[in-house]
Amino acid sequence: MKHQPFEDWIFSNEPLGEEEQRKLDAHLETCDSCRTLHAADFALNGMLAGAPTLSPAPGFQARFAYRLEEQRRMRRLVRVLLVSGLILTLMAVASIFIGSVLFTRVVPFNRAVTGIGQLLVQIGFQASLSLRVLRLVASTFVRSLPQVVFFAAAIAGLGLSSLWLFSLYRFSSQPVRR
Amino acid sequence: MQHRPEEAAWIKEARNGDDRSFGYLVESYQAPVYNLCYRMLGTPGDAEDAAQETFLKAYRNLKRYDPQRSFTNWLLSIASHHCIDRLRRRRIQWLSLEGDTVGPISEPGLSPEGNAVVREKQAAVQAMLKELSPTDRSAVVLKYWYDMSYEEIAETLSLTESAVKSRLHRARRELAQRMVAAEPAAAIGGLRDEASAI
């Protein structure tokens, strides 16, 4: 059986004319498929029209005000960071420029490079010396501790790691509740 | 579009930077905006987040609001576009019929059994809506919950009026066909009787 134009009429957004309505009614009397479709459309309209308008949980406006304030705070922070970054960059560029101009006037360029190289080597040497001293102090301290301290530290570390893994599991497996 | 006098004043003051007036607007329009977001996204958490974002966008763009236009429609337009973008971007897993998905729907005067029936019906409504494309879903929600004209829906969704009509026609046909495929004819007859009793 031909279902056109009846299917179009069933779902028409505009009211049908008298003649169209009469033809559709006559078709629905004889066609099970179109009748079921018509009934489904009618039921759907009823369900959609009867569905309530939902409201958010109480305190929506307060949550909005908080969110707005957070957003403003973030914007202020970003602005401060951008301005500070810009100022620091400008200062660094200016310092390098002024420094290089002044330095090359006082000391010839090749001597300046050698001097900076020597300075860096000195800094490296001093740092490695400090590291050696620190290691010596640390090893002396560790040797003086009783064995039970190491045992307790290992257990505490194990416990903390387990807690951390458990909380990771909780966060990844459970939905976030608002 | 005529605004209520106090509402027009709130809009004007909010445009001049008065947060308290915007707060009154949020209080007045939270339910329609939230409902649209819920019908579009299907979960209370997503609906809350989308509704909050809608008001933030409205706050930022308040200077661009044309007072000749309905404020509700302007807000719903922001909410619709936000939800459509969200659905397209995230392709979220939209609905599960248990858990908190239909959590907030309850009628104060009803027994627990009555509320269970209401929840079941709402879950069915949401399940039907999720079958539609985001834009079709939005058109259906604006038509059935907000009783908007085709012209208003077209303006809200930035579509032509004929596109809205065609989308609504297609959406209704699709929903009815899915319902027929899912339910036996006798069950649909029963639903039809229930619907006509509403």
Side-chain angles (χ1 to χ4, degrees):
Chain A
M1 185 181 283
K2 276 181 71 178
H3 300 291
Q4 291 299 342
F6 306 110
E7 277 192 11
D8 281 341
W9 289 348
I10 289 171
F11 300 106
S12 170
N13 292 307
E14 308 293 347
L16 296 180
E18 231 172 76
E19 180 62 16
E20 287 169 337
Q21 188 64 56
R22 195 186 56 73
K23 282 183 183 168
L24 176 62
D25 290 342
H27 178 74
L28 292 179
E29 289 290 319
T30 57
C31 176
D32 279 348
S33 156
C34 285
R35 196 167 51 243
T36 311
L37 218 49
H38 186 246
D41 184 51
F42 193 85
L44 278 167
N45 279 327
M47 283 171 80
L48 292 173
T53 296
L54 305 173
S55 296
F60 181 87
Q61 201 217 320
R63 292 194 294 280
F64 170 76
Y66 177 76
R67 199 157 163 165
L68 183 64
E69 199 41 54
E70 274 292 292
Q71 205 175 61
R72 280 180 179 153
R73 205 178 57 80
M74 279 307 292
R75 280 189 180 178
R76 277 198 297 270
L77 187 67
V78 167
R79 211 176 302 147
V80 166
L81 285 175
L82 277 176
V83 171
S84 321
L86 190 70
I87 290 171
L88 282 175
T89 310
L90 285 174
M91 280 170 67
V93 169
S95 311
I96 289 167
F97 177 73
I98 294 167
S100 65
V101 168
L102 290 177
F103 198 63
T104 47
R105 270 189 197 171
V106 177
V107 184
F109 182 73
N110 55 349
R111 277 192 64 194
V113 172
T114 318
I116 289 170
Q118 280 174 345
L119 182 70
L120 289 175
V121 168
Q122 272 300 319
I123 289 171
F125 177 71
Q126 292 299 333
S128 89
L129 200 65
S130 310
L131 213 65
R132 243 186 275 171
V133 171
L134 270 176
R135 243 186 247 159
L136 192 68
V137 171
S139 64
T140 313
F141 177 69
V142 166
R143 259 183 249 141
S144 68
L145 287 174
Q147 264 192 337
V148 69
V149 175
F150 294 105
F151 188 64
I155 287 178
L158 202 67
L160 282 173
S161 306
S162 310
L163 264 175
W164 179 62
L165 284 172
F166 179 67
S167 64
L168 271 183
Y169 165 75
R170 286 280 304 274
F171 276 117
S172 59
S173 64
Q174 290 191 357
V176 177
R177 304 236 175 252
R178 288 170 205 276
Chain B
M1 175 75 194
Q2 292 295 311
H3 300 290
R4 284 177 289 161
E6 73 274 24
E7 195 180 282
W10 291 339
I11 294 169
K12 195 177 166 190
E13 283 160 21
R15 280 163 74 111
N16 291 329
D18 182 7
D19 282 358
R20 210 169 55 164
S21 296
F22 194 78
Y24 295 142
L25 291 169
V26 173
E27 194 71 42
S28 300
Y29 290 102
Q30 56 179 320
V33 170
Y34 176 84
N35 182 62
L36 174 70
C37 296
Y38 181 84
R39 299 300 174 187
M40 289 293 290
L41 302 172
T43 62
D46 283 331
E48 164 91 13
D49 192 49
Q52 296 269 351
E53 276 300 313
T54 299
F55 282 111
L56 282 175
K57 281 185 181 175
Y59 183 83
R60 285 198 297 267
N61 295 297
L62 204 56
K63 297 258 183 219
R64 283 197 259 167
Y65 164 66
D66 172 12
Q68 301 302 313
R69 226 181 132 186
S70 151
F71 189 69
T72 317
N73 290 4
W74 183 68
L75 272 180
L76 293 178
S77 174
I78 296 172
S80 301
H81 284 112
H82 178 76
C83 292
I84 290 169
D85 283 350
R86 211 173 157 124
L87 286 168
R88 284 182 184 155
R89 203 169 53 236
R90 290 170 53 191
R91 293 171 191 273
I92 58 171
Q93 188 63 39
W94 194 70
L95 181 81
S96 73
L97 294 182
E98 72 283 329
D100 62 356
T101 302
V102 289
I105 306 165
S106 60
E107 298 283 331
L110 285 179
S111 62
E113 291 80 12
N115 265 322
V117 172
V118 169
R119 277 169 192 244
E120 204 174 300
K121 280 184 184 171
Q122 286 310 308
V125 169
Q126 291 299 119
M128 284 191 300
L129 286 174
K130 80 156 188 174
E131 302 296 340
L132 301 173
S133 74
T135 311
D136 288 1
R137 194 184 303 172
S138 193
V140 167
V141 172
L142 293 171
K143 178 77 190 157
Y144 284 94
W145 273 274
Y146 300 91
D147 204 23
M148 280 192 185
S149 66
Y150 299 120
E151 194 187 344
E152 285 174 315
I153 298 174
E155 197 186 8
T156 302
L157 297 179
S158 313
L159 296 171
T160 62
E161 215 175 307
S162 59
V164 169
K165 284 181 183 173
S166 138
R167 280 181 181 276
L168 281 171
H169 183 100
R170 188 178 60 201
R172 278 173 58 199
R173 182 191 289 257
E174 196 180 323
L175 290 175
Q177 282 169 343
R178 281 181 187 276
M179 194 176 196
V180 169
E183 305 261 355
I188 292 169
L191 281 174
R192 182 191 164 137
D193 295 341
E194 265 183 46
S196 58
I198 291 172

